[in-house]
């Protein structure tokens, strides 16, 4: 008999034997040539194997959850690793975060956040409070641009590079103001006991409200107003110290309620920009049509492009806003000593054209 026929005969025999086995013995029947059933026989090291399986499952589930959480947080928090810590690059608010702490990257407690990238919170409309950790060494001036409901930025007292004054961000030695939060007036309003926001056209609006909520005085130590420091600020009056040297790019951009720029030295005050100011950045005061007077002191050596863009307009045929630019030096001296960018002078619609406002050279500062 051939090998093939023998195998077929053996298989048929086994099938006949299994078919003839009673149902009650089906799970214990032993066929010659096959391994005996192990039903009811204890498995060697069964407990250890069972524990091992459970541990493996728990580890797998934990890792799965961890990676899921990290994946979710990677969509919210974005970091770049640096030699001395982490750079906080981008925050994407899921819509529920109103207070944000910038101290450690999520799940990374060994290396702190040391830098905050430009536009890290760009256009966030939920954040109310930001807490800066003690290890943050560098904050880009544009980090908190257009954070619409931001009321306060608080800094850990142990931070060696930054500090806050009642929620307004400065460098440590108070020589630069970095960010006056856009909605800081809401905090000041609550602090002063006002229940509602008031504007000059409201009967309840008075000098006390304006002083408590819509007025801000920079410390006399400040020499620089940082880029975008007061962008969109809801201020009516700002006091600048005479020691101020530089007003940065977009510093007061679209602070559209700003009417009064007042300089001070000790107890003495005078209107418009301070003596000793050297630089006015691009778009520094653009779109601020509530201002009606501007004086450029003789110390100014650079004015950026569009510095006073759209600060004048026509209403009922009459020019409003900054309708004339007052300059301390002569036209000849201004043209020879001041580096002025394109369109730094406000202009207005004149028939079908744009027309620059008049510049009043060699003038004295208005009393005030």
């Amino acid at each position: 008999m051939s090998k093939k026929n023998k195998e077929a005969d053996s298989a048929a025999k086994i099938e006949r034997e299994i078919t003839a086995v009673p149902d009650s013995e089906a799970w214990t029947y032993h066929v010659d040539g096959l391994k005996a059933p192990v039903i009811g026989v204890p498995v060697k090291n069964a407990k250890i194997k069972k524990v091992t399986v459970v541990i493996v499952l728990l580890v797998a589930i934990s890792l799965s959850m961890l990676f899921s959480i990290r994946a979710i947080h990677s969509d919210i928090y974005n970091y770049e690793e640096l030699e001395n810590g982490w750079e906080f690059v981008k925050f994407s608010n899921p819509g529920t975060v109103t207070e944000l702490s910038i101290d450690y990257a999520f799940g990374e407690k060994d290396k702190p956040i040391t830098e905050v990238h430009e536009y890290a919170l760009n256009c966030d409309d939920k954040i109310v409070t930001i807490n800066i950790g003690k290890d943050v060494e560098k904050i880009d001036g544009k980090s908190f641009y257009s954070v619409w409901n931001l009321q306060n930025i608080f800094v850990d007292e142990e931070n060696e590079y930054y500090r806050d004054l009642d929620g307004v961000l400065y460098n440590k030695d108070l020589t630069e103001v970095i960010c006056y939060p856009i909605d800081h007036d809401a905090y000041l309003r609550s602090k002063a006991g006002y229940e509602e926001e008031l504007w000059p056209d409201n009967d309840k609006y008075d000098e006390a409200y304006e002083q408590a909520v819509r007025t801000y005085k920079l410390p006399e130590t400040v020499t620089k107003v940082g880029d975008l420091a007061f962008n969109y600020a809801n201020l009516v009056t700002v006091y600048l110290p005479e020691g101020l040297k530089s007003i940065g790019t977009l510093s007061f951009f679209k602070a559209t309620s700003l009417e009064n720029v007042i300089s001070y030295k000790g107890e003495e005050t005078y209107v418009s920009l301070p003596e000793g100011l050297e630089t006015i950045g691009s778009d520094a005061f653009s779109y601020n049509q509530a201002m009606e007077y501007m004086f450029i002191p003789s110390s100014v050596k650079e004015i950026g492009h569009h510095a006073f863009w759209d600060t004048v307009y026509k209403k009922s045929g009459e020019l409003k806003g900054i309708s004339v630019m007052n300059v301390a030096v002569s036209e000849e001296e201004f043209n020879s000593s001041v580096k002025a960018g394109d369109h730094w002078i406000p202009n207005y619609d004149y028939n079908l054209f744009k027309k620059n406002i008049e510049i009043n050279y060699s003038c004295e500062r208005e009393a005030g």
Side-chain angles (χ1 to χ4, degrees):
M1 183 180 294
S2 67
K3 181 178 180 181
K4 185 175 181 180
N5 290 336
K6 285 183 179 179
E7 290 178 350
D9 185 61
S10 177
K13 181 180 178 182
I14 292 173
E15 184 177 356
R16 286 194 300 272
E17 288 186 19
I18 293 175
T19 304
V21 174
D23 290 342
S24 60
E25 300 178 15
W27 293 106
T28 59
Y29 184 76
H30 182 198
V31 178
D32 291 337
L34 297 180
K35 185 176 180 180
V38 294
I39 303 300
V41 178
V43 178
K44 187 178 182 180
N45 298 324
K47 186 176 293 185
I48 294 176
K49 291 181 180 180
K50 187 179 295 183
V51 171
T52 301
V53 170
V54 171
I55 291 174
V56 170
L57 286 174
L58 288 174
V59 170
I61 293 170
S62 298
L63 288 173
S64 176
M65 291 177 65
L66 175 62
F67 287 125
S68 296
I69 293 171
R70 290 180 70 92
I72 292 171
H73 279 77
S74 68
D75 292 336
I76 300 173
Y77 304 95
N78 187 267
Y79 310 98
E80 292 289 340
E81 191 167 9
L82 306 171
E83 289 184 4
N84 63 335
W86 296 92
E87 180 181 23
F88 185 41
V89 176
K90 181 68 177 175
F91 174 74
S92 300
N93 202 323
T96 56
V97 180
T98 59
E99 183 169 352
L100 178 68
S101 292
I102 302 177
D103 47 12
Y104 289 91
F106 176 79
E108 303 287 348
K109 291 294 185 180
D110 56 327
K111 292 172 67 175
I113 294 173
T114 55
E115 295 186 17
V116 184
H117 194 70
E118 62 178 0
Y119 306 116
L121 283 84
N122 188 32
C123 294
D124 185 279
D125 62 356
K126 300 296 181 183
I127 293 293
V128 174
T129 301
I130 293 174
N131 301 304
I132 304 295
K134 64 182 180 64
D135 297 298
V136 176
E137 301 176 8
K138 181 180 177 181
I139 300 174
D140 190 282
K142 300 179 286 296
S143 298
F144 310 119
Y145 175 65
S146 298
V147 183
W148 301 110
N149 291 305
L150 183 61
Q151 295 184 17
N152 290 300
I153 301 173
F154 297 120
V155 182
D156 191 299
E157 291 182 357
E158 294 185 30
N159 191 295
E160 298 179 1
Y161 302 90
Y162 299 97
R163 64 177 297 182
D164 73 273
L165 290 182
D166 200 21
V168 179
L169 181 63
Y170 288 84
N171 65 348
K172 191 66 173 182
D173 60 3
L174 296 179
T175 57
E176 179 183 358
V177 56
I178 298 167
C179 183
Y180 180 93
I182 291 176
D183 206 25
H184 189 61
D185 57 299
Y187 163 74
L188 295 176
R189 185 167 62 247
S190 176
K191 182 179 177 181
Y194 293 96
E195 295 181 356
E196 61 179 314
E197 184 175 18
L198 303 177
W199 293 94
D201 59 355
N202 190 304
D203 292 339
K204 297 179 182 179
Y205 188 95
D206 56 15
E207 185 177 350
Y209 181 88
E210 185 171 305
Q211 285 292 322
V213 180
R214 303 285 189 191
T215 299
Y216 191 72
K217 184 177 183 179
L218 277 70
E220 61 182 8
T221 53
V222 172
T223 60
K224 180 181 180 180
V225 177
D227 296 346
L228 290 159
F230 289 88
N231 74 99
Y232 298 101
N234 295 319
L235 289 171
V236 171
T237 301
V238 63
Y239 285 84
L240 306 176
E242 189 168 281
L244 185 67
K245 299 296 182 183
S246 173
I247 295 176
T249 299
L250 296 158
S251 287
F252 293 92
F253 175 74
K254 287 194 174 181
T256 54
S257 61
L258 184 63
E259 296 178 15
N260 311 305
V261 176
I262 300 175
S263 298
Y264 76 94
K265 181 181 180 181
E267 298 299 319
E268 177 191 357
T269 61
Y270 50 91
V271 295
S272 199
L273 302 176
E275 297 294 331
L277 181 68
E278 297 174 355
T279 303
I280 302 171
S282 299
D283 283 293
F285 292 94
S286 54
Y287 300 100
N288 298 345
Q289 296 182 350
M291 296 188 300
E292 296 183 349
Y293 179 76
M294 184 56 59
F295 180 85
I296 308 295
S298 60
S299 55
V300 171
K301 301 304 178 187
E302 183 176 353
I303 303 175
H305 65 81
H306 299 87
F308 300 95
W309 182 255
D310 205 13
T311 56
V312 64
Y313 61 101
K314 256 188 173 183
K315 184 176 182 180
S316 302
E318 184 180 357
L319 290 183
K320 300 287 186 180
I322 300 178
S323 57
V324 61
M325 183 63 68
N326 300 285
V327 178
V329 300
S330 67
E331 182 175 4
E332 181 181 358
E333 184 178 350
F334 183 88
N335 291 332
S336 64
S337 64
V338 179
K339 180 183 178 181
D342 294 339
H343 306 293
W344 77 271
I345 309 167
N347 59 33
Y348 61 94
D349 291 327
Y350 182 76
N351 294 327
L352 298 177
F353 306 97
K354 292 284 186 180
K355 182 177 177 63
N356 288 334
I357 64 169
E358 179 184 349
I359 300 179
N360 186 12
Y361 293 103
S362 301
C363 69
E364 294 184 1
R365 186 188 297 271
E366 185 179 286

